[in-house]
Amino acid sequence: STVSKKRLRVALGTDSAYLLALRKRDDTWYICDGLVETIFIYKQRKVAMGALRSTRTEQYLVEALIELGEKKSVQKVQVKELCEAAQVNRTTFYKHYVDMGAFLEAVIQHFFDRMEENLDGCSLFEGLLVDDAETTCLRCTEFMNEHRAFVGLMAGSHGIPEFRRRILAAWEDACRGTVLRLRPDLGGSVDIDILARMVVSGMWGLLEFCIDPEVMYHPQYIAKHMYQVVYVSLLKPLIG
């Protein structure tokens, strides 16, 4: 296939090393065999490296936010002090985020994306009610323990109230939907909304032991109690 040298240079950015793989015949540039795939891989690597740099920048900023959040509300943290604490240039910050509000929205959304991948609400309650409840409880506590610094900040007094409400609302919806699917007849004898609130409140109350910086309970210990309190004592008698 043919391509203009200028268009290929634009596609590759400033790096024009792959132009050497072009052959000129009759004033037309021809792509040598395999170059299309090579360009695709090259571009994918550039995108991946850009994403990696962006991820590292966000990681440094989040770590700094957690440190600053020990002394003040995250909503009062300024871009300047955040960048200084993270040792990130403000130009780099504004390359990724419009302002501090946009940064907070982005990092919170990225957390929920990770939670969706690892702890999706539907699969969480499906695991509790259908699959292996003990394994599901452990998966839940391990995830929260892994992200306890961030969750503890955002769900705490220096965080954002909507953060905790968003988690609980998503889990309540998932619990309600799963229970109704498994036991559609249950709604006549039990208020499903109240049941979902009780289950999720119990789970969150136990998970707070995983995110509280002053409490050092092991995830397996909390998972054991979650299994007994939420599943054995509450869900199993109702669902069967």
Side-chain angles (χ1 to χ4, degrees):
S1 58
T2 64
V3 65
S4 71
K5 188 174 183 180
K6 181 178 179 181
R7 287 181 62 188
L8 183 60
R9 190 184 297 275
V10 170
L12 293 176
T14 57
D15 191 335
S16 58
Y18 287 114
L19 292 177
L20 296 175
L22 294 178
R23 293 186 289 115
K24 186 175 182 181
R25 187 174 71 249
D26 299 329
D27 295 324
T28 302
W29 291 91
Y30 288 83
I31 300 179
C32 298
D33 293 340
L35 183 60
V36 172
E37 182 178 356
T38 301
I39 292 174
F40 176 77
I41 295 174
Y42 175 78
K43 292 290 287 183
Q44 289 293 96
R45 286 177 178 172
K46 288 187 70 175
V47 170
M49 289 302 295
L52 180 60
R53 285 192 292 270
S54 176
T55 301
R56 286 176 177 171
T57 298
E58 182 176 295
Q59 180 183 345
Y60 298 148
L61 291 169
V62 168
E63 289 173 356
L65 182 69
I66 292 171
E67 181 180 344
L68 294 170
E70 294 178 359
K71 301 177 181 179
K72 63 193 301 185
S73 169
V74 296
Q75 294 175 308
K76 294 183 179 180
V77 174
Q78 302 296 316
V79 172
K80 180 180 179 181
E81 61 180 327
L82 178 67
C83 290
E84 288 178 353
Q87 297 185 353
V88 170
N89 193 291
R90 270 189 286 176
T91 302
T92 302
F93 177 91
Y94 286 115
K95 181 180 178 181
H96 299 288
Y97 315 102
V98 176
D99 53 25
M100 192 66 192
F103 165 71
L104 290 174
E105 289 180 9
V107 296
I108 289 173
Q109 185 57 51
H110 290 166
F111 168 80
F112 278 100
D113 289 342
R114 289 191 292 273
M115 190 172 74
E116 185 73 18
E117 293 174 3
N118 298 277
L119 210 60
D120 171 61
C122 293
S123 65
L124 172 62
F125 289 97
E126 187 81 16
L128 277 172
L129 298 171
V130 179
D131 300 323
D132 187 341
E134 290 185 88
T135 301
T136 301
C137 289
L138 181 59
R139 181 160 57 93
C140 186
T141 56
E142 285 182 337
F143 177 84
M144 285 300 178
N145 182 70
E146 180 183 353
H147 298 89
R148 65 180 180 180
F150 181 78
V151 177
L153 170 62
M154 288 300 174
S157 59
H158 288 176
I160 299 175
E162 182 59 29
F163 178 84
R164 178 178 177 274
R165 288 197 294 266
R166 183 174 170 184
I167 294 178
L168 299 187
W171 284 1
E172 284 182 23
D173 286 343
C175 179
R176 187 183 304 111
T178 305
V179 169
L180 286 174
R181 183 176 60 80
L182 296 174
R183 285 290 305 275
D185 60 310
L186 197 60
S189 57
V190 177
D191 189 314
I192 303 301
D193 291 335
I194 293 178
L195 173 63
R197 179 67 58 86
M198 289 176 60
V199 170
V200 173
S201 296
M203 290 177 62
W204 183 260
L206 288 165
L207 289 171
E208 285 185 328
F209 287 100
C210 291
I211 61 178
D212 188 340
E214 297 181 1
V215 180
M216 297 299 292
Y217 284 114
H218 195 278
Q220 289 183 343
Y221 183 78
I222 302 301
K224 178 182 177 181
H225 284 73
M226 183 182 293
Y227 173 75
Q228 290 293 333
V229 173
V230 176
Y231 177 70
V232 176
S233 301
L234 186 58
L235 286 174
K236 188 177 179 180
L238 289 172
I239 305 302

